[in-house]
């Protein structure tokens, strides 16, 4: 088997931000040629599929500036430096929806755009929800809605929901729980 590793030759830092750093790397390819890789290193994140006792999913709808439209998503957010993914996911779930689960299961991790975007998203399933008060960040505006799980599956499959973390979490939960 061929070694597919690309070796870093040179890095040019282009931008250092709050959520991400951007750099352009020159790499040596497996055949000895060189190429350029544009990379956005983003902080890791978490996402939670909260499923209530009636098999409704607590969803959030928020405006996503990059796409110029609102998206229906599961609750999600970024991890604080050194924060455990489960701890961060529970924090984000409570902040965005007010939900606190009795049962909290990992659904694995995904890399949303491995061609240029350095982020891992850790996915979780929350059940046995107890509702408390929301604690949104000052710059966070969203609507919370309960949508039947079967409808979420249908919307994911027909392309109406195109947020990757939501699609993956819904379909993994469908297989896991055989709903």
């Amino acid at each position: 088997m061929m070694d597919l590793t690309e070796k870093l030759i040179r890095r040019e830092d282009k931008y250092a931000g709050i959520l991400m750093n951007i750099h352009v790397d020159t790499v040596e390819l497996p055949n000895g040629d060189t190429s350029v890789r544009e990379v956005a290193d983003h902080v890791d994140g978490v996402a939670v599929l909260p499923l209530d006792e009636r098999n409704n999913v607590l969803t959030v709808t928020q405006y996503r500036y990059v796409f110029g439209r609102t998206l229906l998503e599961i609750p999600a957010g970024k991890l604080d430096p050194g924060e455990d993914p489960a701890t961060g996911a529970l924090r984000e779930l409570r902040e965005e929806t007010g939900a606190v689960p009795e049962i909290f299961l990992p659904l694995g991790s995904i890399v949303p755009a491995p061609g240029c975007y350095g982020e891992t998203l850790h996915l979780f399933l929350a059940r046995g929800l107890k509702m408390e008060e929301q604690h949104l960040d000052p710059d966070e505006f969203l609507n919370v809605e309960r949508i039947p799980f079967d409808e979420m599956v249908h919307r994911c499959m027909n392309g109406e929901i195109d947020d990757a973390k939501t699609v993956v979490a819904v379909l993994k939960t469908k297989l896991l729980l055989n709903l």
Side-chain angles (χ1 to χ4, degrees):
M1 268 202 155
M2 179 193 302
D3 179 6
L4 302 176
T5 305
E6 297 178 357
K7 296 172 184 75
L8 177 65
I9 297 170
R10 181 176 56 256
R11 171 165 291 165
E12 277 185 67
D13 293 325
K14 296 293 186 178
Y15 174 78
I18 297 168
L19 295 177
M20 73 175 67
N21 298 319
I22 298 174
H23 52 91
V24 177
D25 292 349
T26 302
V27 298
E28 181 183 330
L29 301 174
N31 67 359
D33 290 346
T34 60
S35 190
V36 173
R37 302 289 182 247
E38 295 177 340
V39 180
D41 286 323
H42 192 283
V43 299
D44 288 347
V46 291
V48 182
L49 191 144
L51 196 59
D52 72 12
E53 69 285 349
R54 292 191 164 137
N55 284 336
N56 293 310
V57 179
L58 267 69
T59 63
V60 296
T61 300
Q62 54 190 321
Y63 184 79
R64 291 302 193 175
Y65 179 81
V66 172
F67 293 98
R69 63 183 171 105
T70 58
L71 292 179
L72 180 76
E73 307 172 36
I74 58 174
K78 65 181 180 64
L79 287 171
D80 292 332
E83 186 175 31
D84 173 69
T87 301
L90 288 166
R91 174 182 47 76
E92 285 294 336
L93 176 62
R94 185 167 183 208
E95 285 177 6
E96 292 189 2
T97 68
V100 177
E102 290 177 12
I103 300 167
F104 198 64
L105 304 170
L107 291 174
S109 300
I110 60 172
V111 287
C116 65
Y117 198 61
E119 177 187 25
T120 299
L121 283 171
H122 305 275
L123 306 175
F124 296 87
L125 172 63
R127 300 200 75 179
L129 307 178
K130 182 177 112 180
M131 298 308 294
E132 296 181 359
E133 188 176 330
Q134 262 183 320
H135 297 284
L136 296 175
D137 293 334
D139 63 347
E140 196 168 34
F141 302 90
L142 51 83
N143 294 321
V144 177
E145 181 181 0
R146 291 177 190 253
I147 298 177
F149 184 77
D150 287 342
E151 184 178 333
M152 290 291 292
V153 172
H154 177 73
R155 288 184 185 188
C156 288
M157 293 306 293
N158 74 13
E160 186 179 339
I161 296 174
D162 55 4
D163 171 61
K165 66 186 174 296
T166 301
V167 172
V168 171
V170 166
L171 297 181
K172 280 189 165 202
T173 298
K174 172 87 174 149
L175 288 173
L176 178 70
L177 301 180
N178 200 21
L179 292 175

